[in-house]
Amino acid sequence: MRLYAAVAAGGFRRYATYRVATLAGAFTNTVFGFIVAYTYIALWDERPRLGGYDLSQAVTYVWISQALLMTCVLMGGGFEDELIERIRTGAIAVDLYRPADLQLWWLASDLGRAVFHLLGRGIVPLACGALVFDLTLPASPLVWAAFLVAVTLGVVVSFAIRFLVALSAFWLMDGAGAAQVSWLAGSFFSGLLLPLNVFPGALGEVARALPWCSLLQIPADVLLGRLAGWELAGAYAFQACWALALLGAGRLVQTVATRRVVVQGG
């Protein structure tokens, strides 16, 4: 465990090195937050209580999404690009022969990245939004703690999805196509474009049953105070089940890919 803790710390330090890029990213998130917030205001003026949110909750949702945009990698651009490239070039063979588990190594690194982005690119947009708009933010530290638990589970689910996408490069000529599909699905089904509660009928039911719901919709509803008690426990169970299922699938694919590399190397 000390090894993976060191890897997580290394992942944090790696992204902390790029201070100018972090400032630029926080500025970009804030600008887009204002654009989307005013779009939501116009929409909620026409459709009050859309999706069960009042106007303040809807605007708060916007700023939560900007805070989690890079934390949960809602639009791609995480470790998967690097892993796909290592598979494409064959450098992955070195990784597979190391005395460390491939999945745990990348998970630890991604957790370190997520912590940095939550601090470096999450707090600033949310704080700027709170200065300008009347946001529905909880006063209880217990709600914030519950939110952080939901975010952590969301990051693990996000990692598990992207790890599977990256491993597809073992069988595809290029993993960029799979990564693009995953990015589009994540943008739509995480609730980044609109809260999933707004989706009508069967589409909404399906969207809320998919793993991407864990990345934004559930953490946002926790912070907005819409999930508490048994509903909160059910949301955690939903996220944990998807995390375990996807990590298990990734473990299976990793085992098959490792055998393939060993056979080809032999």
Side-chain angles (χ1 to χ4, degrees):
M1 293 302 297
R2 292 177 59 187
L3 169 63
Y4 300 112
V7 172
F12 184 97
R13 289 194 300 270
R14 175 183 179 183
Y15 285 88
T17 303
Y18 303 100
R19 298 181 179 87
V20 175
T22 300
L23 291 174
F27 175 78
T28 302
N29 287 148
T30 303
V31 170
F32 273 99
F34 279 108
I35 295 172
V36 178
Y38 283 113
T39 302
Y40 271 42
I41 290 172
L43 178 59
W44 257 257
D45 281 343
E46 293 294 325
R47 297 285 302 276
R49 303 295 304 182
L50 182 63
Y53 297 105
D54 60 30
L55 179 58
S56 177
Q57 289 175 324
V59 175
T60 304
Y61 183 95
V62 171
W63 291 103
I64 295 173
S65 70
Q66 292 304 308
L68 298 183
L69 184 64
M70 286 303 297
T71 303
C72 293
V73 195
L74 301 177
M75 297 183 66
F79 76 92
E80 62 272 22
D81 295 334
E82 181 180 351
L83 182 53
I84 287 172
E85 181 63 17
R86 292 188 67 80
I87 294 172
R88 189 189 66 82
T89 60
I92 190 65
V94 177
D95 300 337
L96 292 174
Y97 280 108
R98 286 174 179 165
D101 183 79
L102 182 71
Q103 187 183 57
L104 289 177
W105 178 283
W106 286 101
L107 174 58
S109 178
D110 199 55
L111 288 173
R113 174 209 58 78
V115 171
F116 173 78
H117 278 137
L118 183 62
L119 297 175
R121 290 184 59 170
I123 293 177
V124 172
L126 188 60
C128 290
L131 289 174
V132 177
F133 300 97
D134 181 21
L135 301 187
T136 305
L137 294 175
S140 171
L142 293 178
V143 178
W144 285 99
F147 169 70
L148 291 178
V149 172
V151 171
T152 301
L153 290 170
V155 170
V156 175
V157 172
S158 173
F159 163 82
I161 294 172
R162 292 177 288 123
F163 187 71
L164 279 169
V165 169
L167 292 186
S168 70
F170 276 107
W171 292 271
L172 302 176
M173 292 293 292
D174 188 354
Q180 187 75 4
V181 172
S182 176
W183 170 73
L184 291 172
S187 299
F188 187 77
F189 289 113
S190 66
L192 180 62
L193 302 180
L194 279 172
L196 300 183
N197 297 335
V198 174
F199 289 13
L203 177 60
E205 295 294 329
V206 170
R208 288 188 290 272
L210 293 175
W212 291 281
C213 177
S214 301
L215 277 58
L216 172 57
Q217 184 68 57
I218 289 177
D221 280 342
V222 171
L223 192 62
L224 290 171
R226 293 169 60 90
L227 296 174
W230 286 108
E231 289 185 339
L232 178 60
Y236 286 161
F238 175 86
Q239 290 179 295
C241 286
W242 268 118
L244 291 173
L246 292 168
L247 288 173
R251 174 72 57 184
L252 178 61
V253 175
Q254 175 185 320
T255 300
V256 174
T258 301
R259 291 176 180 174
R260 182 182 181 184
V261 171
V262 171
V263 169
Q264 291 178 345

